[in-house]
Amino acid sequence: MTSSQPKYEYVDSAKLPTRWGDFRIHGFVELNGQEHVALSYGEWTEDDIVPIRIHSECLTGDALFSTRCDCGFQLEKALQNIVEHGSGVLLYLRQEGRGIGLLNKIRAYHLQDSGMDTVEANEHLGFDADLRSYDICKLMLDTLNVRRVELMTNNPRKTDALTRLGVDVVARKPIDHGITKDNKGYLKTKTEKLGHAFDPHLLK
């Protein structure tokens, strides 16, 4: 393999009807075999500002309805916002547990059950607090002819990552999060240790 070879490839796309509306799903794969998808809705030109959400996979929150995080809430809200706007893209990245994987996330949950916060648990297992990469996002957006974006996120690292990749982040829009008795501590840790932009008054 030479350094000029692409690290990622676009695979194919298809219709994806959902309870929010009719999306298209687009498949991408890294050379290491890791698979990611993008969901697109509506149409735009390369000059339009397109609402997007970068969402990292969370099996427990997205599919199993866990309330110990805000992932499932944010996924649903992002899809709803895109449909209400009339167009937009959701990039769904397969990097569970901020990059440590599903089983390690369960190990981290066990440590959190014993009193650690989410950052302490990851670090106790020998990982950085956040191992996620957003490099593939540029290819995904280029493939979908998205040049200028309004990014739905509370995480400034995502804004910085897209800007470094050459994506024109015109605005950042906070994404609503479902606050429960089970995830208040998690959200407080994300605010205090990971720099997420939550209203601290909501977490009291």
Side-chain angles (χ1 to χ4, degrees), residues 22-95:
D22 294 337
F23 287 78
R24 288 193 67 81
I25 186 168
H26 312 267
F28 299 82
V29 63
E30 300 183 43
L31 290 186
N32 65 8
Q34 183 68 286
E35 299 171 339
H36 309 279
V37 298
L39 272 62
S40 65
Y41 183 86
E43 298 179 352
W44 51 83
T45 72
E46 67 178 24
D47 295 323
D48 289 335
I49 300 171
V50 181
I52 74 164
R53 162 81 178 159
I54 302 172
H55 191 89
S56 295
E57 179 182 38
C58 176
L59 177 69
T60 49
D62 298 342
L64 300 179
F65 316 109
S66 169
T67 58
R68 71 184 295 164
C69 67
D70 57 339
C71 302
F73 299 105
Q74 291 190 337
L75 175 61
E76 294 192 11
K77 187 62 178 178
L79 294 174
Q80 178 184 337
N81 288 348
I82 287 169
V83 172
E84 289 177 353
H85 182 268
S87 63
V89 173
L90 183 132
L91 306 181
Y92 195 89
L93 306 184
R94 306 290 303 280
Q95 41 189 8

Side-chain angles (χ1 to χ4, degrees), residues 126-169:
F127 301 107
D128 290 339
D130 193 339
L131 291 172
R132 290 175 295 180
S133 169
Y134 304 105
D135 289 354
I136 195 173
C137 294
K138 181 67 163 62
L139 169 68
M140 298 169 89
L141 293 172
D142 284 350
T143 301
L144 298 175
N145 196 35
V146 174
R147 302 290 185 266
R148 308 173 71 211
V149 305
E150 178 186 67
L151 181 61
M152 290 182 276
T153 187
N154 302 320
N155 183 356
R157 284 190 68 236
K158 293 180 180 178
T159 304
D160 294 342
L162 287 189
T163 300
R164 285 196 302 271
L165 291 169
V167 178
D168 185 3
V169 182

Side-chain angles (χ1 to χ4, degrees), residues 168-188:
D168 185 3
V169 182
V170 176
R172 181 187 70 83
K173 180 178 180 180
I175 182 78
D176 291 345
H177 43 85
I179 300 175
T180 72
K181 63 179 178 61
D182 302 306
N183 69 20
K184 272 192 175 182
Y186 168 76
L187 296 177
K188 186 176 180 181

